[in-house]
Amino acid sequence: MQFFNSMSRGKEAFAPIEQGHVRMYTCGPTVYNFAHIGNFRAYTFEDILRRVLAFNGCAVTQVMNLTDVDDKTIRGAAAAGVPLKDFTAPFVAAFYDDLKTLNILPAEVYPAATDHVAEMIALVQRLFDKGLAYQSEDGSVYFSVAKFQGYGKLAHLDPKDLRMGARVADDEYEKEGYGDFALWKAWEASDGDVVWDSPWGRGRPGWHLECSAMAMKYLGDTFDIHTGGIDNLFPHHENEVAQTEGATGRPFVNLWMHCAHLRVNGEKMSKSLGNFYTLRDLLGKGYTGREIRYVLINGHYRQPLNFTFDALEAARSSLARIDECVDALTEEVRKFESSKVLKLGGATEWAESCKREFAKAVNDDLNIPEAFAALFALVRESNSALHRGVLKPEEAKAVLELFDEVDAVLGVVRFGRIAQGDAIPADIVALVEARAAARAAKQWAESDRLRDELAAKGWEVRDAKDGQKVKRM
């Protein structure tokens, strides 16, 4: 495996600190609203990374934080007139639901910032002990970037351009605002009841501090991979590096990986342009989590991704091609399941070649477009062999197993569909049976109406010599 390291700005061969075990921290959501599809571009990228590591035989310990105290969550709770926890709880629950909708594998730990304030206070104290933190006149505590040699190395900032001594109190700020950043923010009236006691007075942690404290608690002072969107690289991740390495004197992370922005119809996503979508917005338009996932992962993570409704329609068609192939292979195997003809055997050379190309692609810095090319080569060759009648049952079984190996990385082949022979919901069965009765009675208008009702529910029905065939659209 080789991945692009944002720190070195080049591809590097990857080997975990502990053989066979990867420790990974992924920046999670700020739970002040529903996550949007730009957020899920990052979360699906991180899911693919996790799956590729497992594909190569690595166990993964993933930590994804929940930012439930920062400027945005405090403002939101105040506007809603409810306690902070009550304000953030529904958005945390919605985030977990969205992960399931997109078939994103769960992390081992989802630490909430408000549950780890003690660890954050301890980290600030270590920085005071190292001479890297100081308290301002208003009681807030800042990190002195001038006293940390190497500040700016992740974002590749020229130290001569740093605004030494300037202070930035906001949790999030633009690149030109770099300077000493807040570790501990003194309480002010707008914080309401969001406050903790500390050696430096009542207040709350700064956003950048939160991730360092939680990453160190669950993954150690030095771990393998830290990921996030490119917008996190500076200032957030740069500040994480400074405060963590400043406290420990050791390297914080061996590999930094960042995904590029998502655009919608070629433009930056924004509510003012009317192109701002949450996952729920897209589901409400009739698209499935499977189709949305397909679009979100089908691009190189370091390249901007243009999200369009045409791409969703294309995803629907592409997934239908995969489904038809998998169902045909499954039917070929079922013909011989109860006989002694079916034997365990390897796939044909063309199938093994597709697998090699797939592995080569995903291990080359997560080249998912090339991985999809290998998947559709497998579909094309499978269909050709089935059409020519040259695929033995044991070979069909082995090809199906290859589809499952590929899907362990992509998560779109089996996910969210009802395969041929699987259970169909009772209400859909009832409609199909009613349509069969209408056709038998030559009630063509009623047959068409029931077909349209099935389509509205996401099911396609086709008439064949041996009866109706139904599948999810």
Side-chain angles (χ1 to χ4, degrees):
M1 291 179 286
Q2 61 173 358
F3 302 122
F4 185 90
N5 190 342
S6 300
M7 181 75 79
S8 66
R9 302 288 175 92
K11 287 184 185 179
E12 300 176 359
F14 174 74
I17 297 168
E18 177 187 346
Q19 186 175 358
H21 179 205
V22 178
R23 290 173 294 154
M24 178 169 73
Y25 188 91
T26 56
C27 275
T30 300
V31 285
Y32 72 103
N33 207 331
F34 296 112
H36 55 70
I37 56 173
N39 301 134
F40 284 109
R41 201 276 161 105
Y43 304 143
T44 52
F45 141 65
E46 291 157 351
D47 181 59
I48 291 292
L49 173 60
R50 178 192 174 107
R51 289 166 176 267
V52 167
L53 293 168
F55 181 76
N56 284 276
C58 294
V60 179
T61 297
Q62 180 184 3
V63 177
M64 177 181 277
N65 69 294
L66 302 173
T67 298
D68 60 350
V69 56
D70 77 328
D71 295 345
K72 292 177 179 176
T73 54
I74 292 172
R75 285 196 300 266
V82 297
L84 184 65
K85 280 285 190 181
D86 291 347
F87 174 74
T88 59
F91 299 121
V92 173
F95 176 67
Y96 290 145
D97 288 342
D98 289 348
L99 293 181
K100 293 177 183 177
T101 298
L102 291 175
N103 197 24
I104 293 175
L105 298 177
E108 279 62 40
V109 188
Y110 290 100
T114 52
D115 295 331
H116 296 80
V117 176
E119 288 86 352
M120 298 170 200
I121 291 173
L123 178 53
V124 174
Q125 186 58 61
R126 292 178 70 177
L127 292 171
F128 265 109
D129 295 342
K130 294 293 184 72
L132 294 171
Y134 64 91
Q135 190 164 16
S136 66
E137 300 81 4
D138 69 353
S140 295
V141 177
Y142 288 86
F143 183 94
S144 176
V145 298
K147 294 182 178 179
F148 177 73
Q149 187 175 5
Y151 187 84
K153 61 184 177 182
L154 179 59
H156 289 237
L157 297 174
D158 188 335
K160 296 193 299 291
D161 294 333
L162 296 179
R163 295 170 56 195
M164 301 301 184
R167 297 173 187 160
V168 183
D170 290 341
D171 287 331
E172 298 177 81
Y173 53 90
E174 300 300 327
K175 186 171 181 178
E176 59 268 18
Y178 45 67
D180 295 353
F181 57 91
L183 298 167
W184 185 261
K185 304 178 78 169
W187 181 89
E188 52 188 37
S190 59
D191 290 338
D193 60 358
V194 181
V195 63
W196 288 265
D197 291 323
S198 81
W200 316 283
R202 287 160 58 79
R204 64 177 177 88
W207 173 45
H208 311 296
L209 182 75
E210 297 173 4
C211 283
S212 288
M214 291 186 287
M216 292 167 68
K217 175 170 182 175
Y218 294 101
L219 299 174
D221 291 352
T222 303
F223 54 91
D224 298 296
I225 305 175
H226 196 314
T227 66
I230 193 65
D231 54 316
N232 288 140
L233 191 150
F234 188 90
H236 184 48
H237 290 164
E238 188 70 58
N239 292 349
E240 280 189 61
V241 171
Q243 64 202 5
T244 309
E245 295 187 358
T248 68
R250 293 191 286 273
F252 180 34
V253 176
N254 285 347
L255 173 66
W256 288 92
M257 297 179 70
H258 295 90
C259 69
H261 293 291
L262 177 139
R263 301 176 71 82
V264 177
N265 295 322
E267 297 181 298
K268 183 177 180 180
M269 187 169 59
S270 73
K271 292 180 180 178
S272 63
L273 292 175
N275 65 355
F276 183 95
Y277 300 109
T278 67
L279 189 57
R280 285 162 174 72
D281 293 333
L282 297 178
L283 296 175
K285 292 179 180 293
Y287 297 102
T288 66
R290 184 183 184 213
E291 292 159 351
I292 298 166
R293 177 185 174 89
Y294 185 101
V295 174
L296 289 175
I297 67 174
N298 196 4
H300 197 283
Y301 75 94
R302 287 192 289 112
Q303 298 297 321
L305 177 68
N306 189 31
F307 192 96
T308 67
F309 288 100
D310 286 344
L312 283 170
E313 294 294 337
R316 181 169 290 177
S317 298
S318 296
L319 288 166
R321 283 181 58 201
I322 296 170
D323 291 348
E324 289 172 3
C325 179
V326 169
D327 287 346
L329 288 167
T330 302
E331 183 63 25
E332 192 68 20
V333 171
R334 283 202 181 109
K335 291 177 183 178
F336 302 93
E337 273 183 335
S338 59
S339 72
K340 295 182 180 179
V341 175
L342 182 60
K343 303 175 183 178
L344 292 177
T348 59
E349 173 54 32
W350 53 261
E352 290 295 340
S353 175
C354 291
K355 179 182 176 180
R356 288 192 296 271
E357 290 302 310
F358 180 84
K360 178 182 176 182
V362 297
N363 288 339
D364 182 15
D365 196 31
L366 310 183
N367 193 335
I368 298 304
E370 288 298 320
F372 268 113
L375 169 60
F376 281 104
L378 184 61
V379 170
R380 183 176 61 253
E381 294 294 343
S382 298
N383 287 336
S384 175
L386 287 166
H387 179 73
R388 291 181 288 119
V390 298
L391 194 64
K392 298 176 183 177
E394 59 268 28
E395 291 174 337
K397 182 177 176 63
V399 172
L400 278 175
E401 291 171 351
L402 283 187
F403 271 99
D404 286 338
E405 289 184 56
V406 166
D407 197 42
V409 173
L410 299 179
V412 295
V413 177
R414 301 289 190 182
F415 160 63
R417 68 179 291 260
I418 293 180
Q420 183 174 304
D422 289 349
I424 299 173
D427 63 325
I428 301 301
V429 172
L431 288 172
V432 172
E433 291 176 347
R435 183 173 182 274
R439 289 182 64 78
K442 298 185 178 181
Q443 297 173 348
W444 308 121
E446 176 64 4
S447 170
D448 290 345
R449 186 193 69 78
L450 289 165
R451 180 198 61 206
D452 293 343
E453 185 176 349
L454 283 162
K457 292 178 177 290
W459 292 82
E460 179 183 19
V461 61
R462 292 182 180 178
D463 299 305
K465 292 180 180 180
D466 55 346
Q468 298 179 107
K469 302 293 184 182
V470 62
K471 68 176 183 177
R472 193 184 293 276
M473 295 172 65

